[in-house]
Amino acid sequence: VRLKTIADAHEIPKRFLVQILLQLKGSGLVASTRGAAGGYQLARPPEQITLADIIGVIDRDDSVAEPRGRDQHRSPLGRAIIDVWALIMESKQKILETTNLAELLQRAQGAFEMAYQI
């Protein structure tokens, strides 16, 4: 798919999209072809690329840094909040690891079909 096609279809600025695609290419998730018929394509089948793969490339620092050695000074409420936040992050990671691009496309097509039912 050509860069302009992706940018126009999803209203993503080309400069921003180029940076993302370069990162994805560097990680081996997409491949590019030069020339008039060139563009980008997935390097693996969509069933083999998870959202965790993509997020891991384009958003490497997605965690909240936890100060070390301060646990003994934290209130019970503070510790409880940290524990719940850890559960949230674990759940988020599991969802990202189990959702692949093929499933995401199926969801998008289903939403499109529901929106335009007669």
Side-chain angles (χ1 to χ4, degrees):
V1 180
R2 300 186 81 189
L3 179 75
K4 181 178 178 2
T5 303
I6 299 169
D8 291 348
H10 302 287
E11 299 177 4
I12 301 170
K14 286 185 207 172
R15 287 184 179 186
F16 181 65
L17 185 57
V18 166
Q19 295 306 312
I20 291 172
L21 288 169
L22 287 174
Q23 290 176 316
L24 294 174
K25 182 180 174 185
S27 70
L29 293 175
V30 298
S32 65
T33 306
R34 292 180 178 227
Y40 290 87
Q41 63 187 20
L42 296 176
R44 301 190 313 238
E47 296 83 8
Q48 295 178 7
I49 300 175
T50 67
L51 295 182
D53 295 331
I54 296 166
I55 298 296
V57 171
I58 62 174
D59 191 16
R60 295 183 184 196
D61 189 17
D62 190 35
S63 62
V64 175
E66 176 61 28
R68 298 176 190 248
R70 294 186 56 193
D71 232 19
Q72 68 273 15
H73 302 294
R74 188 163 283 122
S75 70
L77 178 58
R79 287 192 295 271
I81 290 170
I82 299 261
D83 291 345
V84 169
W85 187 254
L87 290 172
I88 291 168
M89 297 307 288
E90 288 173 22
S91 297
K92 173 187 155 192
Q93 188 62 29
K94 185 174 183 176
I95 291 167
L96 292 173
E97 290 172 355
T98 58
T99 305
N100 62 47
L101 292 183
E103 180 183 337
L104 193 63
L105 180 60
Q106 288 174 342
R107 288 178 183 219
Q109 289 173 337
F112 178 81
E113 290 169 4
M114 285 178 48
Y116 293 99
Q117 284 182 343
I118 297 176

